[in-house]
Amino acid sequence: PALPHFSDFTEMMRALGYPRLISMENFHTPNFMLVSEVLLWLVKRYEPQSDIPGDVETEQDRVFFIKAVAQFMATKAHIKLNTKRLYQADGYAVKELLKVTSVLYGAMNTQGGERAELTEEDSSKFKFDLGSKIADLKAARQLASEITSKGAVLYDLLGKEVELREARTESIARPLEINEAEKVMKVAINSVLEQVQKTKDMLNNVALDEASLEAKIEKRKLELERSQKRLQTLQSVRPAFMDEYEKIEEQLQEQYSTYLEKFRNLTYMEQLLDDHRRTEQEMFEEAANMLRLVQNRLKEEEQHLLKSGSHDDSDIDIQEDEGSESEGELQITRHRTSTEALLQGRAGTRIVGSMQGGDTEED
């Protein structure tokens, strides 16, 4: 964000005697530590006896710090600060800081020639304290507002001076009549007497209201005393069902302990069951892989036997090969049957044993 009046802010801070140099780069990104340091320094500059904490480590501490500074400036200096912009701690915070620095800088300039004669060493030690002059500041503000309102009224009256001058001239030129003056004075006296009577009536009404209020206060005090006595009586009396309540409460505690124990056991058993199911699933997958390997090996042996039987030429060899082939086919059929039985029974039962078949005469 843009930094409006940033040069004015730096010059004011330097003139007020801030010990650290502030550059434009400090506020390109949010820098809450610098903003909090400047705020605390300005508050101490305004009133050295202020007790605002300077801890801004956590988010809650920062929010409390910003609220405390804003409340201090609103009550002591009548300066309204935007807490959201101060918490952003970026270029928009400079606008809010400029409100405080401009007030302090203007007050410092009212010192006259004393500020110009101060050396650099004296400027760092300059102390500005308005704590003892807050009442005078409030009175000056009130007088300034009254002067503004009176000036506006005076301007309106001066605008009517032409008409009023003519009426005043006519009134002065006209001769004074005693009877009319006497009538006007009597009317004024009667109006004053009526106002006095109204004021007396209001005072009497105030006295009556005060008496009625005192009677109501006394009545409320008596009701409060009776209520307190009744409360003490109720607190001292032990209810009839309290023994049974305490006994049931103890039983409830025991039941709750039993419930916790059973709940822990149930959770442990569920964990064991999950582990057991996981183990069975792994074993089933391993057995399925082994069966798949056996089927592949049987298919390879069958293909090998078919190829070896097709290359023989003699009839005797053919007959022998046919016999051996029938024996091989019988063996293959046996392996297939056993494999299918294993696959069908695997879905419902668990197979125990090794995957190697027994020795036969052909083997």
Side-chain angles (χ1 to χ4, degrees):
L3 301 178
H5 308 292
F6 191 85
S7 59
D8 297 340
F9 176 71
T10 55
E11 291 297 327
M12 288 180 184
M13 293 298 292
R14 188 181 297 110
L16 289 173
Y18 187 68
R20 177 178 174 180
L21 294 176
I22 301 175
S23 64
M24 186 180 296
E25 300 295 331
N26 296 129
F27 293 95
H28 278 306
T29 57
N31 191 352
F32 191 85
M33 299 304 294
L34 179 58
V35 173
S36 62
E37 182 181 350
V38 171
L39 282 174
L40 190 60
W41 186 83
L42 290 174
V43 169
K44 293 293 183 183
R45 191 66 175 235
Y46 193 90
E47 186 174 356
Q49 290 80 14
S50 61
D51 55 348
I52 295 178
D55 189 8
V56 291
E57 294 295 331
T58 62
E59 181 180 357
Q60 187 176 3
D61 294 336
R62 292 182 178 184
V63 173
F64 180 76
F65 174 79
I66 293 295
K67 286 184 177 180
V69 171
Q71 186 176 4
F72 175 84
M73 288 298 172
T75 55
K76 299 294 184 180
H78 298 279
I79 299 174
K80 184 178 180 181
L81 299 177
N82 193 333
T83 55
K84 292 183 179 179
R85 289 184 176 180
L86 287 176
Y87 192 81
Q88 288 178 0
D90 53 4
Y92 291 107
V94 177
K95 291 183 178 180
E96 308 303 321
L97 296 175
L98 194 62
K99 295 178 182 179
V100 184
T101 54
S102 60
V103 173
L104 295 176
Y105 185 75
M108 186 183 66
N109 288 334
T110 57
Q111 299 295 326
E114 296 179 0
R115 186 71 184 102
E117 296 175 359
L118 292 175
T119 60
E120 294 181 357
E121 184 175 341
D122 295 333
S123 64
S124 61
K125 299 179 181 179
F126 179 75
K127 301 296 181 182
F128 189 78
D129 183 13
L130 287 178
S132 60
K133 298 182 179 180
I134 295 298
D136 298 339
L137 182 61
K138 291 181 179 179
R141 288 177 180 273
Q142 185 177 0
L143 290 175
S145 61
E146 290 180 0
I147 290 171
T148 304
S149 61
K150 296 294 184 182
V153 173
L154 182 61
Y155 178 79
D156 295 336
L157 293 176
L158 289 176
K160 300 176 182 179
E161 177 62 21
V162 178
E163 299 177 358
L164 294 175
R165 186 184 300 112
E166 294 178 358
R168 187 170 56 251
T169 305
E170 291 179 358
S171 299
I172 293 172
R174 188 176 58 185
L176 182 62
E177 296 181 0
I178 303 299
N179 294 329
E180 291 182 359
E182 185 178 0
K183 290 179 181 179
V184 171
M185 292 297 295
K186 286 182 178 180
V187 171
I189 291 170
N190 291 330
S191 63
V192 172
L193 291 175
E194 289 178 358
Q195 292 292 332
V196 171
Q197 187 63 32
K198 289 181 180 179
T199 305
K200 289 181 179 180
D201 294 337
M202 291 175 66
L203 290 175
N204 294 329
N205 293 331
V206 168
L208 294 175
D209 294 338
E210 185 178 358
S212 62
L213 288 174
E214 288 180 355
K216 289 181 180 180
I217 291 171
E218 189 66 25
K219 184 178 179 181
R220 296 294 183 184
K221 285 182 178 179
L222 294 175
E223 291 179 358
L224 178 61
E225 290 178 359
R226 287 196 297 268
S227 299
Q228 288 179 350
K229 289 180 181 179
R230 186 178 179 184
L231 177 61
Q232 292 176 0
T233 304
L234 292 175
Q235 288 177 351
S236 61
V237 176
R238 182 180 177 85
F241 57 86
M242 199 65 189
D243 296 335
E244 184 180 0
Y245 172 78
E246 292 177 354
K247 187 184 298 182
I248 294 174
E249 189 175 7
E250 292 177 359
Q251 294 177 1
L252 178 62
Q253 188 67 28
E254 294 176 359
Q255 293 292 334
Y256 182 70
S257 301
T258 306
Y259 165 74
L260 287 179
E261 184 178 358
K262 290 183 179 181
F263 183 78
R264 287 196 297 268
N265 293 335
L266 179 61
T267 306
Y268 177 69
M269 295 300 291
E270 288 178 352
Q271 184 180 359
L272 291 178
L273 181 60
D274 292 339
D275 295 340
H276 181 67
R277 289 176 178 173
R278 194 181 301 108
T279 305
E280 283 189 348
Q281 183 67 24
E282 292 177 356
M283 292 178 64
F284 174 75
E285 292 177 356
E286 185 178 357
N289 293 331
M290 293 298 295
L291 289 173
R292 194 178 297 108
L293 292 175
V294 170
Q295 288 178 354
N296 293 332
R297 188 175 64 182
L298 290 175
K299 288 181 181 179
E300 291 177 359
E301 290 178 357
E302 184 179 359
Q303 292 177 1
H304 179 68
L305 290 173
L306 292 174
K307 288 180 181 179
S308 62
S310 63
H311 292 292
D312 292 337
D313 296 329
S314 61
D315 295 337
I316 298 172
D317 292 339
I318 289 173
Q319 293 176 359
E320 291 178 355
D321 289 340
E322 288 177 354
S324 62
E325 183 178 357
S326 62
E327 291 176 358
E329 290 177 355
L330 180 60
Q331 183 180 3
I332 292 169
T333 305
R334 289 177 181 175
H335 281 292
R336 286 181 177 177
T337 305
S338 62
T339 304
E340 292 175 356
L342 287 172
L343 290 173
Q344 292 176 359
R346 185 59 186 169
T349 60
R350 181 179 177 184
I351 299 173
V352 180
S354 63
M355 301 302 298
Q356 298 177 0
D359 296 335
T360 60
E361 295 179 357
E362 288 80 8
D363 294 333

